[in-house]
Amino acid sequence: MSLSKVDKAEKEHLVHYLIRDHFSGVFYAEIHSGTALIPVEEFLFRAWSQKEDYSFCGAPAFISVPKTVSEKFPTINRLIEKYGFQPLEVTSGFQSGTIQDVKTWEDLVRGFSGLGGRAEILREWTPAVCTRYSAYLND
């Protein structure tokens, strides 16, 4: 299911919001229902806010946004301009690292498939897995 059509799907799909620091590999993620997508600005606000016991925080100097994301959430372009982030053009998911990040995240989530795919349970679980996985990357 493509991001552009997920909110119109007959079945409920989970949408993974994911942002990664290019240099450290630390990432922040949230899971939301495709029928109840949140504005990308809300996600980024939480991602960049200081969090207890988690090192991912602070707005970037540079940002790359996949085309599918900027098409689904066109307000992200205004956010980039308003705060003066330097946009980096993404020519492919492989170049940006997005493909590998999503695969890594899906592998972590797959380990919790016994949760029955319930979005509210997965949402509660994501901060802990981000923290533990990022700690593993930086050990």
Side-chain angles (χ1 to χ4, degrees):
M1 172 66 45
S2 71
L3 184 58
S4 64
K5 298 177 182 175
V6 73
D7 54 344
K8 297 170 185 71
E10 289 182 25
K11 294 182 180 180
E12 180 182 26
H13 292 272
L14 297 178
V15 176
H16 303 267
Y17 290 65
L18 179 68
I19 187 168
R20 175 183 52 91
D21 176 74
H22 177 74
F23 295 102
S24 68
V26 174
F27 67 90
Y28 176 82
E30 293 181 8
I31 299 173
H32 295 277
S33 168
T35 59
L37 295 177
I38 63 162
V40 72
E41 296 88 352
E42 287 182 25
F43 165 74
L44 291 173
F45 176 79
R46 283 191 294 278
W48 295 335
S49 295
Q50 190 166 0
K51 294 166 272 313
E52 187 177 319
D53 300 325
Y54 191 51
S55 62
F56 194 100
C57 71
F62 299 91
I63 188 167
S64 59
V65 180
K67 187 176 179 181
T68 55
V69 173
S70 62
E71 287 174 351
K72 183 68 177 177
F73 302 102
T75 55
I76 195 167
N77 299 317
R78 289 193 295 273
L79 179 90
I80 290 169
E81 186 177 314
K82 178 179 179 179
Y83 291 100
F85 304 137
Q86 292 294 316
L88 300 174
E89 185 177 349
V90 179
T91 58
S92 74
F94 291 104
Q95 175 212 24
S96 68
T98 304
I99 301 279
Q100 184 58 45
D101 294 339
V102 171
K103 182 184 179 325
T104 299
W105 179 246
E106 286 176 342
D107 288 346
L108 290 168
V109 172
R110 193 171 291 114
F112 283 79
S113 60
L115 297 174
R118 294 184 50 206
E120 63 276 1
I121 295 172
L122 290 172
R123 266 196 303 276
E124 292 174 15
W125 169 79
T126 55
V129 78
C130 287
T131 302
R132 289 186 183 109
Y133 183 70
S134 295
Y136 164 79
L137 285 177
N138 292 301
D139 277 348

